[in-house]
Amino acid sequence: MSAAADAPTSGFRLRRPNYWTVVSIAALVVFLVLLVYPLARLLFTSLLGAAEGTSVLQIYIDFFTKKYYYEPMLNSLVVSLLATVFATAVGIPMAYLISRFNIPGKLLIRAAIVLTFVSPPFIGAYAWILLLGRNGVITQWMASIGINTPAIYGPVGIVLVYTLQAFPYVFLMVSSGLKSVDQSVEDAAINLGRRPLQVVRTIILPLVVPAITSGALLVFVTSFADFGTPMIIGENYRVLASVIYTTFINEHGGNPTVASALSFVLLIITIGALFVQRWYARRRSYGQETNRPLMSIRLSGFKLAAASTFVYAIVLAACLPLLTIVFSSFLRSRGPLLTGEFTLEGYLKALRLPLALTNTLVFSTIATLLCVVAGCLIGYVVTRRRDRMASAIDAFSMVPYAIPGIVLGIALTVAYGGSPFFLSGTATILLIAYFVRRLPYSIRSISGMLSQLGTQTEEASINLGVPPGRTFWRITVPILTPAILSGALLTWATVAREFNSTVLLYSGSTRTMPVEVFAQVLQGNFGAASVIGTVLIVVSLIPILLLFKLLGKDEEFLV
């Protein structure tokens, strides 16, 4: 009787779900909740219309018909496109000269370029005010010898800051792309009678067009979505991102509907730029195998001097703002004025630094740990599994690259800042923003190493009876330790400098160092801003130095 009773129930016994299926479902849920839902709420809010009962699309109609709205967009396009052109014009020869020729001090040059890469963009803006502002050091010195220099404010200053801050994107991408060009291609062209410059222009550069366009895209997107620099150095020159910021946080309570609509326009432009770049890069991509990378060429005499002068001049110009910040942090200050007296008073009296530094360190550490754990699991799924769910997760994981920080900040505020979550200003909403924006770094690092590893060790463990989950954490993760550390250090460094999303999500108790620097600059406290900015530069740079020194990475890992 008991056997008969047991027989039917055995057919309904639930099977334990596969470990990686559960992980895949959980990853999809995370992206839907933390990424798709906020963006959907952003779009929904932008379509609500005004409270007076105007048309749902009235805000978008106003955007394209009223000068107050469309002029900042045109201004953004102008400065971003100019910065892209100039950064590309600087980054390509820098990458080629440093990659191919015996420029002295290459390690120092690469470290300096990385230093400009990890610092927040607006730091360069206020540093140039110290140098070329109306009372700037260089301005006053030029005036003392009878030369009146134009002030740095306005679109010219914005383009200058963007160019020097963003050319490392092009430099890093092109440096990486040059490694994929085989030496035989150059040899064949020279044997056919091409001159060296003709070879570069007609053979090598066309082969690295995808890398060039990728770098140019990053310059355009970061410049177009930045509002800190225009607000500090632009004066009356309004750009779209700064209009979004001021509309969202104005003193009368903000207008989330208009800000959401403008954010959605900004998002469409940045994603559109991404699609254009992908389409063009695919058309200009050439399948090539690299057996022998391009050889280094030795220069001497005038050619070496000219190449070295160009490289060091660009690096000096890019690093000058950071050096200015560090130097001015040791000067006595009176509001916006800095004296020539050296002192540690700025550090001793930096009352707002401890909280900002603590928050930056704590939030960066927690966000990095979350990204590492999720990145390990998701990286494994997108690399090892071949199904529709893994493909969807892979696509979702790349979306944060195309979302500007200001857009994500507003989207999270609209989705989770009010009822029923009330997370606005809390550490939780900041951690969500950091997690979503920087998760791709860990995923890419893990998946990159997994794609080079075989599955024999994992299969052997599972065949011996160890469950897939335990196999992953005990066998696979230790093997992935270098990739995990690389992704973690890069994540930590970029979270520490995150500004665009933080400034929309923080409160007085959760302010971080980038936000504090920005606030001090707007208040004209350049001495305090220099002190906090110097600490921020050090905090951002240490993980990158560890990445290079301990793990043997070079600057191309940043791409």
Side-chain angles (χ1 to χ4, degrees):
M1 181 67 180
S2 60
D6 292 342
T9 59
S10 62
F12 294 96
R13 184 175 300 168
L14 295 176
R15 296 181 59 187
R16 177 179 296 179
N18 180 275
Y19 179 82
W20 291 112
T21 300
V22 174
V23 170
S24 299
I25 295 173
L28 275 179
V29 171
V30 167
F31 282 121
L32 290 174
V33 172
L34 301 184
L35 184 62
V36 177
Y37 172 68
L39 293 178
R41 281 292 304 272
L42 181 72
L43 175 60
F44 177 75
T45 303
S46 72
L47 296 175
L48 286 179
E52 291 79 8
T54 57
S55 169
V56 172
L57 298 177
Q58 186 60 45
I59 295 175
Y60 290 97
I61 295 173
D62 291 343
F63 179 82
F64 291 103
T65 57
K66 293 185 177 181
K67 186 177 181 180
Y68 179 83
Y69 291 117
Y70 69 73
E71 184 181 60
M73 182 187 70
L74 296 178
N75 289 342
S76 294
L77 289 172
V78 169
V79 294
S80 299
L81 289 173
L82 286 175
T84 301
V85 171
F86 291 134
T88 303
V90 170
I92 292 175
M94 286 285 289
Y96 190 80
L97 290 174
I98 294 175
S99 299
R100 301 232 46 200
F101 301 112
N102 56 320
I103 306 295
K106 285 188 178 183
L107 181 61
L108 175 63
I109 294 170
R110 294 177 186 273
I113 291 175
V114 170
L115 180 61
T116 64
F117 178 84
V118 300
S119 63
F122 64 86
I123 280 187
Y126 96 81
W128 281 111
I129 291 177
L130 297 177
L131 293 171
L132 292 174
R134 295 182 179 90
N135 294 312
V137 175
I138 297 178
T139 302
Q140 291 182 341
W141 177 76
M142 296 292 285
S144 67
I145 59 176
I147 300 176
N148 293 324
T149 57
I152 195 67
Y153 306 97
V156 174
I158 295 174
V159 172
L160 173 66
V161 172
Y162 284 165
T163 300
L164 294 177
Q165 180 73 34
F167 87 86
Y169 287 117
V170 180
F171 170 83
L172 295 171
M173 289 292 183
V174 175
S175 296
S176 180
L178 287 172
K179 290 186 176 182
S180 66
V181 180
D182 196 274
Q183 180 62 42
S184 61
V185 176
E186 183 180 55
D187 294 340
I190 293 176
N191 290 335
L192 291 173
R194 295 287 180 92
R195 295 180 179 178
L197 287 179
Q198 289 179 317
V199 174
V200 174
R201 182 175 57 85
T202 62
I203 304 297
I204 296 178
L205 288 183
L207 290 176
V208 295
V209 161
I212 294 173
T213 57
S214 295
L217 171 70
L218 289 172
V219 175
F220 176 81
V221 170
T222 55
S223 302
F224 194 83
D226 177 53
F227 63 89
T229 298
M231 289 187 67
I232 291 173
I233 207 171
E235 290 197 330
N236 296 323
Y237 193 83
R238 299 186 307 134
V239 298
L240 181 57
S242 62
V243 171
I244 293 172
Y245 173 74
T246 55
T247 301
F248 191 74
I249 56 96
N250 71 56
E251 60 186 10
H252 299 295
N255 192 329
T257 301
V258 175
S260 298
L262 298 180
S263 298
F264 204 74
V265 171
L266 190 149
L267 180 62
I268 290 174
I269 293 174
T270 55
I271 292 180
L274 174 63
F275 282 128
V276 170
Q277 186 272 332
R278 298 293 187 196
W279 168 79
Y280 185 74
R282 280 196 298 267
R283 290 192 59 187
R284 300 297 302 271
S285 179
Y286 303 94
Q288 51 181 327
E289 294 183 1
T290 306
N291 297 319
R292 191 163 55 106
L294 291 172
M295 294 187 303
S296 178
I297 301 173
R298 293 194 61 80
L299 296 177
S300 59
F302 174 77
K303 291 182 178 180
L304 178 60
S308 301
T309 300
F310 173 80
V311 168
Y312 276 97
I314 297 297
V315 170
L316 177 61
C319 290
L320 187 59
L322 302 181
L323 296 175
T324 301
I325 292 167
V326 175
F327 181 79
S328 61
S329 71
F330 294 100
L331 299 179
R332 191 179 302 279
S333 64
R334 298 185 182 93
L337 300 178
L338 298 174
T339 68
E341 181 182 354
F342 280 87
T343 178
L344 294 176
E345 182 180 286
Y347 288 91
L348 298 176
K349 294 185 177 181
L351 301 179
R352 298 177 68 88
L353 175 60
L355 177 60
L357 176 59
T358 300
N359 285 339
T360 299
L361 297 178
V362 171
F363 296 161
S364 299
T365 302
I366 296 175
T368 298
L369 292 175
L370 293 173
C371 288
V372 165
V373 175
C376 287
L377 295 169
I378 297 174
Y380 188 93
V381 168
V382 300
T383 306
R384 290 285 194 251
R385 293 176 67 87
R386 297 290 184 270
D387 53 34
R388 294 181 179 179
M389 194 179 301
S391 299
I393 294 171
D394 191 23
F396 279 133
S397 68
M398 294 298 105
V399 171
Y401 280 122
I403 300 179
I406 187 173
V407 174
L408 182 63
I410 293 178
L412 290 175
T413 301
V414 169
Y416 296 113
S419 176
F421 303 102
F422 299 106
L423 296 179
S424 182
T426 65
T428 301
I429 200 168
L430 285 172
L431 291 174
I432 291 174
Y434 300 155
F435 174 76
V436 171
R437 275 181 64 75
R438 304 308 174 189
L439 179 59
Y441 288 128
S442 291
I443 294 176
R444 184 182 63 176
S445 180
I446 297 298
S447 60
M449 186 168 183
L450 273 174
S451 62
Q452 301 175 7
L453 297 177
T455 60
Q456 297 86 349
T457 305
E458 300 169 32
E459 292 171 352
S461 175
I462 294 174
N463 290 335
L464 291 173
V466 181
R470 193 176 301 171
T471 295
F472 173 74
W473 292 110
R474 291 187 176 182
I475 304 298
T476 309
V477 168
I479 298 175
L480 296 174
T481 297
I484 293 172
L485 290 176
S486 298
L489 290 171
L490 185 56
T491 299
W492 203 96
T494 53
V495 168
R497 66 186 285 269
E498 175 61 33
F499 169 73
N500 284 352
S501 59
T502 306
V503 77
L504 293 169
L505 300 172
Y506 84 104
S507 63
S509 62
T510 58
R511 65 182 185 271
T512 60
M513 284 195 292
V515 171
E516 192 62 49
V517 174
F518 184 70
Q520 295 295 336
V521 172
L522 292 184
Q523 295 170 15
N525 299 325
F526 290 160
S530 297
V531 169
I532 301 173
T534 299
V535 177
L536 175 58
I537 292 170
V538 173
V539 167
S540 301
L541 187 61
I542 287 176
I544 301 298
L545 294 178
L546 291 176
L547 188 67
F548 294 167
K549 188 69 175 178
L550 298 182
L551 300 179
K553 300 290 183 179
D554 58 24
E555 75 285 348
E556 291 168 24
F557 178 77
L558 297 173
V559 306

